Amino acid sequence: MNSALSILGQRTKEPPISWLMKTALEHPGIISLAAGFTDNPSLPLQEAREVLAEILSNPQRGQAALQYGSTAGDPELRAATAALIRAADGAAATDARYQPDRLLLTHGSQQFLYLVTEALCDSGDVVLVEDPTYFVYLGIAQSHGLRCRAIQMEPDGIRLKHLETVLDDLKHTGAIKRLKFLYLVSYYQNPTGTTTSLAKKAGALELLRRYEKAAGHPIYLLEDAAYRGLRFAGPEVPSALTAAKTARVIYTSTYSKPFATGIRVGYGLLPPELVAPVLRIKGNHDFGTAHLLQKVLADAVRSGRYARHLAALRIRYAAKAAVMKQALERHFPTGVAWDEPQGGMYFWVRTPKQLRTGPNSKLFKRAVAENVLYVPGVFCHADDPIRKKPDHTLRLSFGSASEADIQTGIERLGRAMA
Ligand code: PMP
């Protein structure tokens, strides 16, 4: 008998995250430096308790919060979120790009990424991604049958020369007609920790604009700023919205990392022509993100609890990053290199070429035997037919592990490498 599954149902592969979680579960006591979870002890327990009590002790507010909301999201939180992005960018209150009616609240920024992909892409379409990129996004692309082209990275973001080469190539083969957007994880990137400079964002937008004629439609820049709030060093870099002479920027971020991953509310700002299409698709998905959780956030932002919590969190992550850095210096053999992040939750490590890091490598097996888990870098590279995937990198997270576990975990991994 044939399978009853749809093409998408058949095509969608098991995401590497499931395999990593399974490996962790099979080895109780393993120290996971792989998980993208945030720091448990600093989750806003008291803030959430207070806010929930405030909402639920008032019958009118409580009942409204326990009722369905709207597809686009709670008006107060939409306005507050748009204002936060605008303030971070130093833009004027009248700037059309930050108007709340362009902002959608979603179930995590993950849902926003999915909705935008569904609104813009058909199977066979092309998207440009960083090399490496956020591996869960690669799952969305794979599931939808998209063709990814990977753009090389430099310390301040994608290599514009390479972007131009790839755009030229797409033009010559005609595939430019299927190119929909460039996806950038622009702040303390997952997985490399790299932050894209404003000059690179502006340069990328300018290049995309030049190829629109050949494409015959707009080519967007999808800026994923999931870690923007978690800056602990370096300057605040403005978003691509500020660089845009064109209105081609789609901007997304989340309350997951700066507040609580368990609340799982994300958001996105859209160019005007995309608001209704994405909203209609969200209507079919869920006709609105959990209303109570949006109310919790609206209250946390209004009362100042959110800002205070985030300020403390940045100090906390700076300290954890410092612990991981010291442990790396102490325990990793010479020849192994890493980039130091200025925010976010990740260190990206490069091993010598002969020391492979993939899921079937000796190192990975040895690490699991030593009871420590990392994300093999190979998961973060798109299936680009033009280049072979590098297999000598790995991602380490200082998000969820305790300071003691970070130290022990790195010591074990150093032993496995040696
Ligand atoms: N983008 C990036 C780069 C991420 O790392 C994550 C979470 N790991 C997300 C988006 C999605 O997060 P959420 O859905 O919780 O907002």
Side-chain angles (χ1 to χ4, degrees):
M1 266 226 269
N2 291 329
S3 164
L5 287 170
S6 68
I7 290 171
L8 185 136
Q10 292 180 48
R11 186 170 51 208
T12 305
K13 290 189 195 150
E14 187 184 27
I17 190 95
S18 315
W19 178 80
L20 281 168
M21 279 176 163
K22 202 168 123 248
T23 310
L25 284 175
E26 284 165 2
H27 297 83
I30 202 165
I31 293 178
S32 179
L33 302 176
F37 283 44
T38 51
D39 183 59
N40 255 326
S42 57
L43 285 169
L45 213 54
Q46 193 188 332
E47 291 85 344
R49 205 185 297 130
E50 289 168 4
V51 164
L52 268 171
E54 276 171 27
I55 295 169
L56 298 178
S57 59
N58 175 322
Q60 238 178 341
R61 284 181 67 202
Q63 281 164 5
L66 291 171
Q67 187 55 269
Y68 278 134
S70 66
T71 307
D74 176 59
E76 183 189 348
L77 187 59
R78 286 174 82 194
T81 306
L84 283 174
I85 307 169
R86 182 166 54 70
D89 276 350
T94 49
D95 195 322
R97 286 171 291 200
Y98 304 87
Q99 293 312 304
D101 59 358
R102 295 198 186 172
L103 188 132
L104 255 55
L105 294 164
T106 50
H107 185 74
S109 51
Q110 192 65 32
Q111 187 192 34
F112 187 84
L113 294 173
Y114 199 97
L115 293 172
V116 163
T117 304
E118 281 199 326
L120 288 173
C121 299
D122 294 304
S123 166
D125 277 352
V126 180
V127 296
L128 306 178
V129 298
E130 292 158 307
D131 199 24
T133 186
Y134 171 42
F135 63 84
V136 188
Y137 186 74
L138 292 177
I140 299 180
Q142 188 278 323
S143 176
H144 286 77
L146 307 187
R147 293 178 286 164
C148 289
R149 293 295 303 271
I151 311 298
Q152 295 162 6
M153 300 223 2
E154 297 176 326
D156 66 340
I158 50 166
R159 180 169 295 167
L160 292 176
K161 266 260 146 281
H162 188 233
L163 174 62
E164 191 171 7
T165 306
V166 171
L167 286 166
D168 254 343
D169 183 48
L170 292 174
K171 188 174 166 185
H172 286 130
T173 60
I176 195 89
K177 294 207 179 321
R178 306 296 304 267
L179 173 63
K180 296 300 172 65
F181 57 81
L182 163 67
Y183 172 60
L184 296 184
V185 184
S186 52
Y187 295 86
Y188 326 113
Q189 193 220 31
N190 178 2
T192 61
T194 303
T195 295
T196 306
S197 67
L198 183 58
K200 282 271 164 88
K201 296 179 204 181
L205 279 164
E206 176 54 25
L207 274 171
L208 297 180
R209 192 190 58 79
R210 274 191 6 222
Y211 286 82
E212 280 193 352
K213 201 157 164 246
H217 56 243
I219 306 171
Y220 295 96
L221 191 162
L222 172 54
E223 175 167 40
D224 179 346
Y227 297 88
R228 184 176 190 182
L230 299 184
R231 174 173 69 92
F232 46 74
E236 168 74 75
V237 179
S239 78
L241 291 160
T242 66
K245 286 197 201 88
T246 61
R248 296 289 190 249
V249 178
I250 304 168
Y251 177 92
T252 179
S253 188
T254 178
Y255 285 105
S256 280
K257 320 285 171 178
F259 199 67
T261 37
I263 290 184
R264 210 65 206 292
V265 172
Y267 50 87
L269 272 172
L270 289 158
E273 71 278 13
L274 296 183
V275 175
V278 173
L279 205 53
R280 287 182 208 130
I281 297 172
K282 175 147 170 85
N284 286 340
H285 271 237
D286 59 18
F287 51 88
T289 302
H291 199 199
L292 175 64
L293 302 179
Q294 297 178 60
K295 288 292 189 193
V296 167
L297 281 169
D299 205 299
V301 172
R302 183 184 348 103
S303 63
R305 288 183 180 92
Y306 172 75
R308 284 196 296 277
H309 174 73
L310 181 54
L313 202 61
R314 285 157 66 163
I315 295 169
R316 172 103 184 116
Y317 280 118
K320 291 183 85 175
V323 168
M324 184 168 269
K325 182 183 165 213
Q326 277 164 13
L328 291 170
E329 284 165 353
R330 180 136 173 239
H331 299 296
F332 272 20
T334 44
V336 178
W338 55 87
D339 301 324
E340 204 180 320
Q342 298 194 312
M345 307 193 322
Y346 308 109
F347 276 80
W348 183 245
V349 176
R350 286 178 298 277
T351 58
K353 288 260 179 337
Q354 69 278 12
L355 183 56
R356 298 228 300 272
T357 57
N360 295 315
S361 67
K362 270 196 210 149
L363 177 65
F364 190 82
K365 287 178 186 144
R366 195 56 195 263
V368 172
E370 290 275 358
N371 252 337
V372 62
L373 202 61
Y374 64 81
V375 173
V378 70
F379 289 161
C380 309
H381 293 282
D383 290 326
D384 183 327
I386 304 298
R387 63 99 183 81
K388 204 169 162 287
K389 288 187 194 187
D391 188 19
H392 51 87
T393 51
L394 54 99
R395 190 195 79 173
L396 298 174
S397 169
F398 50 87
S400 66
S402 67
E403 274 99 331
D405 277 357
I406 291 173
Q407 279 162 339
T408 312
I410 297 293
E411 187 180 349
R412 289 176 183 173
L413 194 51
R415 208 155 47 225
M417 283 175 176

